[in-house]
Amino acid sequence: NSHISTFLALFYPLIFISILSNVSSPNYIVMGIASLIPIVIGVQVLPTIILNLKQSSILKRIGATNTKASDMTFVVISYFVLVAIFSLVFNVGIGIAMFSKNMNLANIQWGELIFSFLIGILVGISLGVMISSVIKKQEVALVIGLLLTLPGAFLSSEFLPPTMINDWGPMRYISFIFPQKISTTLVHCAVNGGSIFDTEVVRSLDYNGLINLNALVDSNAIPTVQADAIKSAMSNVEVVDWTEKLMAWILLPVYLVTFSAVSIKFFKWGTRW
C-alpha cells in the first residue's frame, strides 16, 4: 500500500546500477548494488511498514479473530523475504541484460552468489525487525535506515569497487560495523570466481579495463607487448582477502543472534493481543 516502499524495493537500486555501471566496472557494481537490496528492504521498508501497521486500525480487526501475534509476525517477515527475492531477481536480471558485454559472467559462482544473497536477506530482515522493535516512530526508523544504508553502501563496496576500498587500509575491516558488509564480501567472492568457504585470497581481472585495453591495442594506440604486461598486472588485483572472509563468517552469527535477541525481548504489536 506504499508507493515509496515499492520504489525503494525495486527501482532505487536499479537507478544506482544504471548510473554507476557507466562510470565504473559493471562486473563489480551490478552485483555490489544488488547486495544493497536486502539491507534497503530490511532497514528502510520493513520497519516503516511494521510501525505503520502498529498504528493502524487493522490490528483491531485482526485482534478480534483467532489470529495469533506470532502468525502476524511470520506473515509479515515472509512477505518481505519474498519481496527481497523478487527485487534481487528483477535488478540483477536487468543489470545483466544492460551490461552483460562488460561483465565476466563465466567467472561467477552462481550457487555461492545465490547463497550470499540469501545471507544478505537474512541479515537485512532481522536487522529491520530489531529496528521496529526498539523504535516507535516511522520518521526515526527511516533516519536510522538511511544512516545504516548510505555510509555502509560506500564502505562495504556496494557503491564503489572493492579494489578502491582496499586502498584505504584498515577501512576494509572497520566497515564490518555495517552488517551489509558480510553479504557484500561474500558476493564479491562469488562474482570474481572465488569460494566463500575457503581461505584463499580472491583476485580479479578488471574486465571493464580489459575491454578498454583491447580497444587501445586494436587501434594501435599501444603496442601488444605493453598491453600484455598491463593485462598481467590487471589480473592480479586483490578483491577479498582471507581475513575478510573469516570476519564475515564470525560476525554473521553474532549479528543474527543479537538482532534476534533484541527483537524477541522488545517486539510487540500492541496490547490488542
Side-chain angles (χ1 to χ4, degrees):
N1 197 33
S2 172
H3 299 299
I4 295 177
S5 298
T6 303
F7 170 78
L8 287 173
L10 293 179
F11 303 109
Y12 183 67
L14 185 59
I15 290 172
F16 287 115
I17 289 176
S18 303
I19 295 173
L20 296 178
S21 292
N22 286 291
V23 297
S24 185
S25 174
N27 210 43
Y28 293 130
I29 296 300
V30 170
M31 298 303 180
I33 293 182
S35 66
L36 172 69
I37 292 171
I39 205 71
V40 168
I41 293 175
V43 306
Q44 291 188 259
V45 181
L46 175 60
T48 303
I49 297 298
I50 288 179
L51 291 172
N52 185 48
L53 283 173
K54 287 182 177 181
Q55 298 167 6
S56 70
S57 60
I58 193 173
L59 292 186
K60 284 185 177 180
R61 302 175 186 177
I62 295 176
T65 69
N66 293 327
T67 304
K68 298 178 181 179
S70 58
D71 296 335
M72 181 74 170
T73 305
F74 175 78
V75 169
V76 170
I77 292 175
S78 299
Y79 172 78
F80 279 101
V81 169
L82 292 176
V83 169
I85 292 173
F86 177 81
S87 183
L88 277 168
V89 173
F90 176 78
N91 281 275
V92 171
I94 293 181
I96 290 176
M98 293 171 63
F99 302 105
S100 59
K101 292 183 178 179
N102 292 340
M103 296 176 65
N104 190 4
L105 297 177
N107 206 34
I108 297 176
Q109 306 289 336
W110 290 101
E112 296 196 6
L113 178 63
I114 293 172
F115 183 73
S116 301
F117 281 146
L118 292 177
I119 287 177
I121 293 174
L122 188 62
V123 172
I125 296 296
S126 61
L127 176 56
V129 174
M130 187 190 75
I131 291 174
S132 62
S133 301
V134 296
I135 301 298
K136 304 301 181 184
K137 295 184 178 180
Q138 296 182 47
E139 297 81 3
V140 177
L142 184 60
V143 170
I144 292 176
L146 288 172
L147 290 175
L148 287 171
T149 302
L150 293 180
F154 283 103
L155 294 179
S156 63
S157 306
E158 290 173 331
F159 283 177
L160 300 174
T163 50
M164 182 179 294
I165 303 298
N166 293 350
D167 292 336
W168 296 355
M171 190 56 68
R172 65 194 296 185
Y173 308 112
I174 296 174
S175 57
F176 275 98
I177 60 175
F178 297 98
Q180 65 258 51
K181 173 70 173 179
I182 293 173
S183 61
T184 306
T185 298
L186 303 180
V187 163
H188 284 310
C189 283
V191 168
N192 291 284
S195 174
I196 64 178
F197 300 109
D198 60 29
T199 57
E200 297 293 327
V201 174
V202 178
R203 301 186 183 277
S204 173
L205 171 65
D206 186 348
Y207 194 66
N208 198 49
L210 178 62
I211 293 174
N212 296 331
L213 184 62
N214 288 336
L216 292 175
V217 174
D218 294 339
S219 63
N220 296 319
I222 61 174
T224 303
V225 174
Q226 182 180 354
D228 289 340
I230 296 174
K231 288 179 183 179
S232 178
M234 290 169 57
S235 65
N236 200 34
V237 177
E238 183 180 293
V239 178
V240 178
D241 67 13
W242 70 271
T243 307
E244 287 177 286
K245 291 186 190 180
L246 181 62
M247 290 183 68
W249 286 118
I250 291 176
L251 289 176
L252 175 61
V254 173
Y255 278 129
L256 290 179
V257 169
T258 301
F259 299 156
S260 300
V262 174
S263 298
I264 291 171
K265 182 173 179 59
F266 294 103
F267 187 85
K268 293 180 180 179
W269 283 110
T271 57
R272 299 183 182 93
W273 266 288

